Each structure stands twice: as structure tokens, then as C-alpha cells.
Amino acid sequence: MFFRNRLLLVISTLVSLLGLTTKPIFSQPTLKIGGIPDQYPEKLNRLYGLLSTELGEALNVSVRYVPVTNYPATVTAFRTGSIDLVWFGGLTGVQARMQRKGARIIAQRDIDAKFHSVFIANKSSNIPVIKNINELNVLKGRRFTFGSESSTSGRLMPQYYIQEAGLKISDFNGGMPGFSGSHDATIALVQSGSFEAGALNEQVWKDNLKTGRINYSRVKSIWRTPPYADYHWLAQPDLDTRFGKGFTKRLQSALLGMNNNSKSQAKILKLFGAKKFIPAKVTQYNEIERIGRQIGKIR
Amino acid sequence: MALQRRMIRLRIATPLLTIIPGLALIPVCIGLIKGIHIGGIYIIFDFIKASISPSLETEVIVNSLKGIQVTISIAILSWLISTIIGVILGFATSNIFWSTFSGVSWIAIILRRLLSILRSIHELVWGLILQSLLGLNPLVAIIAIIIPYSALVSRVISDQLDALNHDALKALRNIGSGPLSALTTATTPQIFPVMTSYGGYRFECALRGATLLGVFGMGGIGTELQLTLQSLQFREMWTSLWILGATMLAAEKSIKYLRLHNHSIKQNKKGINLAYIFIVALLSICLKWILETKSDLFSSINLHQIDLPTIEGLNIALNSLNWLSLINSTLITTFLAAGIAIGTPPLLIMLMPSKRCLEIQSFFWAILRLIPPPLTALLLMMSTSPSIFVAAFALGLHNIGIMGRLLKESVESQKDNIFNAIHTVGAGERVSWLYGRLSAQSSSYLAYSAYRTDVLLRETSVVGVVGGVGLGWQLQESLSSFAWSEVYLIIFVFTILTMLGEAFNEQSRKIWLRSEDKQSSKFSVQT
């Protein structure tokens, strides 16, 4: 009995090792798309799933969604060429362009040229509505959470405005802010009372308002930041050599051409919280880069 | 005379010494309670309530099962490869190997020092670095575990080799055997039992390590746990936790059966057979995963360069961070966590020594071992202000689970004669327990505690990342800012700290083990 079992073990181990030597199957190049994980994974799966199908049909290539679980890993994945087309935030987009020379900004949403963050508060915290930036002082000594540490609308810009108001992030309760990881998580944590206040992406906030996931009796918005440029599509510099001449252009027109007349495209745009995609310029993100350097997220 | 008296007093006090570190609970609890708030109490309550009503939706269960498949596969592959590499390196870095082959052993010492650098860096830190080198690749998690684990295994093997009785080897050499054949013939039979029990322990560690790497986005059930916790979906989280728990429990039991079987201790046949079935099941799960992901695993293993440090960059990094306070908070976290982890199990066993209480305790310890410390820290931070105490408490709780099981097993395996003797002369249950049971174990327990403190120092990087504490937190900040000079410096400082910690640990272990050589064997094997 003892030896038979041992033998079984050895055999299964050998079979496992055999699996290692099988050669990978080479196939047509696949366009790998992805994005920073700023919302619930289920929503991202649905959104990028639909987009993959749509782009696959429009460009006649196979498209695959590569999920990533944190912001810096998305930048790294772009640098190492693990993903070809990425939906980046303002800050992560700048970080990615600096690490991958020649990367091309393809498009942004209509809402991204003038994007906003909102500050929200738990109602029982009695934090008043803020009318101008200097009143951000009321957050002193409160339990406050950002989203991901690399988020533009969930950390970089909120922190920038907080500092403009003369507050330091060490002024929060506990000597530092929380980092919830995503915009949805920030809502959950402020609504539950874990944190008294937080800052997040306005589009995600509005989306949650529309879908009825916000409990008005427990959480309210207290301030809307001034506008800044945020999310954008960034593509690898070498798509034309890998997918054929003019591919980047075709990709760009596929995205820019999405509209609400097509049922499937309307669905995608709705999930993105936009009416359409528009062209974007590098110069739009110079301000983000400057603030990124000031706060130390860009070196 | 005076010296002798002091030594006697020390010996009597050892069982109490195991409890004293528990004093760390006082400042930690005060710190936690100070920051606690109503909203958070509800969250903790919700979390506990969800444990009895995990989500049973098909989609959730399928996701969890997929997650555990990845975690198991990462654990098995990394364990298998690190054991093989570790054994080879273990032979190659032992004094006996070098003195058999070349007559000098100083090369072994240098090699061992080099390997201790690999060992001193936690698998999570390796994972974060490798992610930058390899991009999105399932191999990241596997290699991240292989590097430190190979070095750990090799150290145990070389230590054991050098501690062996070398008469057989000398005899073989004297009758003219070649060095390699003599070495393997003389040592393998003696090393094999150590390897089987240590190998089992390392597999448990690999399973925990793979789960932890998942929490930081490197795939598997850890990722599920992190995502569900982050969005407060506690019922979904418990689906994954129970599945992970069942796997862990089955692994721990199987390893225990196999270990006892190898040491020819009588076991029921059923247990052994179940253990074998479990192992084969794990291997087939792993095999299935390899076949499913082989294109990802082997398609593009190319290294992507990261910036090498420049003197100027390092200089800026050196001046831009507050190193003293980073190191300080790292050390405080370590000591507080160690105090909790070391002091609590003996304290609880002493307060509640009845058989039923012990069963309840070991159930809770199993749960504590189950939840990765960064998740505990995240949960705690939803209910209390972020602070050094949260990090220390989360780390301490997880390690109570490990220390508690160890203490229970060793106490149970010893004979009851001292306990009975003290008990029959009229001492109370607790006092008899303290001097009858704990006392015999306390020296080796403290020796193991010294080792555990060393592990804890490495693990602070893990809770630090989420708890906002010390070098771990700064590492995460620097990595997400792609500030490589800072990353290099932080890892350098961490390496120095853990190596100093290890030297300190070895010294204190020697003190605790001086008179307890026989007791120590089962503990020291776990290092």
C-alpha cells in the first residue's frame, strides 16, 4: 500500500513536469487591452468584455482583456509590453508615458478634458458643505480616505487642493489618510462610517447616484474640485509594426467613431459614463505632471 | 555562588518569561480602543455575522474555486522547485561538503552569508520587485516564493548536515569511497526524516505565502479576498475564506499524518490514505492549472530593465526620507507584534487549561492563521484609526495562530508525570499547569520565539504596506512613484535590519537552548 501510494505520487509529479515542457502555441497577434482597476471588478469585466468584442469586430483582430489588480502594476504592465492599449488615469498615464518612450495618447472621454473630484462625508460626522477651497480646513483631525495611492481623481488632485488650503495630510486623524484602493471602496467606507470623509472620481460618484447604490441618509457630497484633465487611452508605440501599417490610426478612429446610434457602442459609452471619445493632446497633462512632481508621485 | 543563585532564579522564571511578552497587549489595546468608532464596530459585527452566512451564489463560488486553484498551484510549484534547489544548495553550502571535497570550509561560510541575503527579504518584497521586472506573469508569484524559500531550506539542510555525527562519513572515506558517494551515502539516511517533516512545514508556508501574494494582486484566492474586503462584500469574502480554510486544514492534517507516519508512529490507516488522496488531488489541480496557463507561463519570459541606481539618485533618496523614524516604527511594530504572538498562547492556555477550552482555542488559532495579516489590518482600519498598533495587532494575531498551535502540540506530546506530581500535592490547576507543563516547554518555546521575532521583522514589510507603517509603507509609496533609488535603499536597510535580527536571534536561541538540547530538536527543525 505504502509503495503503491508513493508510486502514484511520483507518477503524478512526473506528469506535472511534462506539462512544463509543452511548447506554447503561436497564433495571430492578439491586441491586449486593459485599464487601471478604479472600480468594482465585475463592472470592469463587463465593460472591457464588451469593448473587446466591439474593437475585435471593427479592427478584425483578436482582442483580449487583461485584468490588473492595482494601479502601479498597470503602469508596469504597460512598460513591459504586457498590455497594448490601456485606459489610464491622468497620473498613471504620465507615469506610463515616461517609462515607455513613444507611447501614444489615443483618446479621452468628452468629460476628461474638464474632470472633477468630489469630496464626500458621512452624515453623522456633521462635516458642513464646503463653499470655497480654504474651507477644506474643516477636514483637520477627521478620519479621511483617498482611493488608490496612484489615483489622479482619488488622491493626486484632492491632496493637491487639500495642501492648497494649507492642510497637511498628516493633519488627518491617525496622522495619515487611508487608501481605500478604489473609488467604489471609498464610497463604501465613508458610507459605512469607517471614514468620516473621502475624495473620489466625480463620474463614479454620479454613476453610483444613478444606479441607486448611494444611501442618502448616510453620505453626502460636500465639495466639487475645480476642473483638471484626467483619464485617457494610451497605446504602445509599436502597434503598426505588429498589427500592420496604419493600425494605430484605425484603432483611434474606431474609438473616436463610437456613438449612441449603435446599440452595443451606446452600452459601452454608458459604462464609461461618456457620450463619446474625443482626441487628446499631450499638453493637456502637463499640469498633472507638474502636480505629480510636487507631490512626489513623479520623479 | 552568586552566579549560581541567579541562574537558578532564571530557570524558575522561564515559564513566566513566556507570558511576560504578552504585556505588549496593553499599549496595543489602548491604542486600538482610543481610535475605535461606532461605524467601525458595526463593520466588525457585519464581518463576524457574515461568517455563518457566506454567499452561495454560483458565480461567487466558481470565482473562489478558480482562485484557490491558482493559489494551490503557485504553492505547489514554488514549494517543489524551492525544495529541490534548497537541498542542492544546502549540500553545497555545508562545511562538511567543502571539507570533504577541498579540505577547507571557509567557502561554505561565505556562501551561507550570501544566501542569507536572499532569505532576509520577504517573499512579498521579492514579488513587488519581480512584478516590475517581469510584468504581468504568473511566474512572478512562483519565483518570489522560490528565492527566499530555497535559501531557507538550504540553511536548514546545511545546519543539519554539519550537526550530524560524521563517523560514518569518515569510515567510508577511509575505506576509499569517492567524496560524493561517501557524502550522500553517509548523510542521506540521517537527513531524510528531517527533510520530510521540514518539507511539510514549508508547504504550509508556501500556501500562506501564495495567498498573501494574491492579496497584493498576484493572482489566486488572495486577490478575491482583497477585492471583496475592499468593497465590504463580507459574505463573498467568507465564501473564499471557508474554501481557503478547508484547504489549509486539509493540508495541515495531511502533513501531520505524513510526518507521524514517517517517524513510524502508529496512525490509523484512514488518515494516511486520506492524506495521500489529498496530495494527489492537489497535484492534479496544479497540473490542470499549468495546462490552462501554459501559454501565459512560457510565452514571454523576458526581463525588462529597471533603472540602476546612480550615486546622485541614492544621495537624494537618502536625504529625502526620514530613515530614523521609518526604522524606529518598523522595530516597534516588530516588538509589539512579537510580544502579542509570544505571550498570548501560554497565557490563554494557562488561564483556560481544560481540554474543551484548548479545543476552542485551537479553532480560533486556525482562523487567525488563515487570514493574511494585511487583510486583518485593513479590517481593523475600517473600525479604528490607522496607527502603528493596528499593524502590530494584525501581525500579532496571525502569529498567535502559529505560536499557539506549536505550543499546544508540544505540550500535548509530552508526558504528564510532572504535572500530575505537582497537581497531586495540592497545587491548583493553573499553577500545576504553569510548572508542570509549560515549564518543561518554556525554554524551547522561547528559543522558537526568538526565531519567530526574526520572521516577524521580515513580515512587518507586509502589514506596513497596508497599515501605513514603517519601511513597508515607504516601499509601496516608492514603488508606486517608480522611485527606484528609494526602493534600492529601502531594501538595503531592510536587509541589514533582518540580518542583524537574525544574528541577535541566534544568540538568544543559544541561551534558551543551552540546557535543553533534547527538547529543542522539534522546534529548531522548523527554522
Side-chain angles (χ1 to χ4, degrees), chain A residues 34-290:
Chain A
I36 47 170
D38 58 344
Q39 295 173 69
Y40 284 144
E42 306 93 80
K43 185 177 174 191
L44 298 179
N45 283 335
R46 196 147 47 100
L47 189 158
Y48 288 106
L50 288 172
L51 184 69
S52 300
T53 320
E54 189 70 28
L55 284 179
E57 280 168 13
L59 301 167
N60 206 18
V61 290
S62 77
V63 181
R64 186 159 66 100
Y65 167 48
V66 183
V68 192
T69 40
N70 68 60
Y71 284 49
T74 319
V75 176
T76 303
F78 187 78
R79 176 170 62 84
T80 57
S82 309
I83 324 182
D84 299 312
L85 175 71
V86 183
W87 182 239
F88 275 120
L91 173 64
T92 42
V94 175
Q95 287 179 333
R97 263 191 296 128
M98 290 175 65
Q99 296 186 32
R100 185 75 167 162
K101 294 280 178 278
R104 301 199 27 201
I105 298 182
I106 300 289
Q108 59 182 194
R109 291 172 301 190
D110 50 0
I111 53 172
D112 286 315
K114 287 192 162 62
F115 204 77
H116 302 268
S117 300
V118 284
F119 281 62
I120 59 172
N122 188 294
K123 285 226 169 132
S124 61
S125 70
N126 293 323
I127 296 175
V129 170
I130 292 165
K131 290 190 194 72
N132 72 63
I133 184 168
N134 293 324
E135 290 175 25
L136 282 173
N137 274 318
V138 296
L139 295 172
K140 193 168 184 169
R142 299 292 192 155
R143 296 190 307 275
F144 185 89
T145 184
F146 289 125
S148 161
E149 74 276 356
S150 304
S151 171
T152 308
S153 54
R155 181 205 177 161
L156 185 79
M157 297 312 290
Q159 181 174 337
Y160 172 69
Y161 292 121
I162 284 167
Q163 291 179 354
E164 288 286 287
L167 213 59
K168 287 193 296 288
I169 52 168
S170 55
D171 288 336
F172 292 125
N173 184 316
M176 63 176 296
F179 288 96
S180 72
S182 84
H183 302 299
D184 284 319
T186 301
I187 297 177
L189 289 175
V190 175
Q191 189 160 295
S192 72
S194 275
F195 287 90
E196 291 170 293
L200 73 148
N201 176 323
E202 187 186 39
Q203 179 251 325
V204 175
W205 172 250
K206 281 182 173 167
D207 191 43
N208 275 278
L209 283 177
K210 265 185 220 149
T211 49
R213 275 198 295 252
I214 306 282
N215 184 343
Y216 286 101
S217 64
R218 301 187 68 174
V219 65
K220 62 181 179 187
S221 121
I222 53 168
W223 190 55
R224 183 187 200 225
T225 64
Y228 54 89
D230 203 348
Y231 291 82
H232 51 284
W233 285 108
L234 202 62
Q236 293 285 352
D238 61 348
L239 292 186
D240 288 5
T241 48
R242 279 164 50 217
F243 294 89
K245 220 175 155 199
F247 183 83
T248 314
K249 258 244 125 73
R250 280 170 55 218
L251 176 65
Q252 188 170 33
S253 12
L255 283 168
L256 295 179
M258 283 196 185
N259 59 60
N260 284 325
N261 297 332
S262 148
K263 223 176 177 178
S264 56
Q265 291 177 4
K267 219 182 232 169
I268 295 168
L269 287 170
K270 195 172 169 230
L271 284 168
F272 267 102
K275 292 200 177 63
K276 61 178 188 228
F277 287 107
I278 58 171
K281 285 195 291 281
V282 175
T283 49
Q284 283 181 288
Y285 298 93
N286 288 351
E287 181 70 1
I288 295 286
E289 187 177 337
R290 187 185 67 79

Side-chain angles (χ1 to χ4, degrees), chain B residues 214-246:
Chain B
V215 173
F216 292 88
M218 284 168 238
I221 199 138
T223 305
E224 295 297 320
L225 289 173
Q226 198 267 340
L227 288 172
T228 45
L229 173 64
Q230 194 181 61
S231 46
L232 307 185
Q233 294 166 306
F234 292 138
R235 293 185 56 220
E236 283 78 356
M237 186 180 173
W238 274 101
T239 311
S240 296
L241 273 178
W242 284 123
I243 289 176
L244 177 65

Side-chain angles (χ1 to χ4, degrees), chain A residues 9 16 20 40 69 75-76 79-80 82 95 99 143 149 155 173-174 179-181 185 192-194 296-297 299, chain B residues 37 43 131-132 135-136 217 223 230-231 276 279 287 298 304-305 382 385-386 473 476-477 480-483 486:
Chain A
L9 255 181
S16 316
L20 287 166
Y40 284 144
T69 40
V75 176
T76 303
R79 176 170 62 84
T80 57
S82 309
Q95 287 179 333
Q99 296 186 32
R143 296 190 307 275
E149 74 276 356
R155 181 205 177 161
N173 184 316
F179 288 96
S180 72
S192 72
S194 275
K297 297 309 289 178
R299 306 296 174 94
Chain B
H37 51 85
I43 289 212
Q131 214 172 35
S132 306
L136 291 180
T223 305
Q230 194 181 61
S231 46
Y276 278 122
I279 289 170
L287 179 64
F298 304 103
H304 298 273
Q305 220 189 324
M382 290 175 184
S385 310
W473 164 252
Q476 169 85 341
E477 241 334 76
S480 71
S481 309
F482 303 94
E486 285 178 16

Side-chain angles (χ1 to χ4, degrees), chain B residues 100 166-179 182-183 186:
Chain B
T100 309
H166 294 139
D167 291 347
L169 176 63
K170 279 178 202 148
L172 282 168
R173 288 288 281 156
N174 284 340
I175 57 165
S177 307
L183 193 65

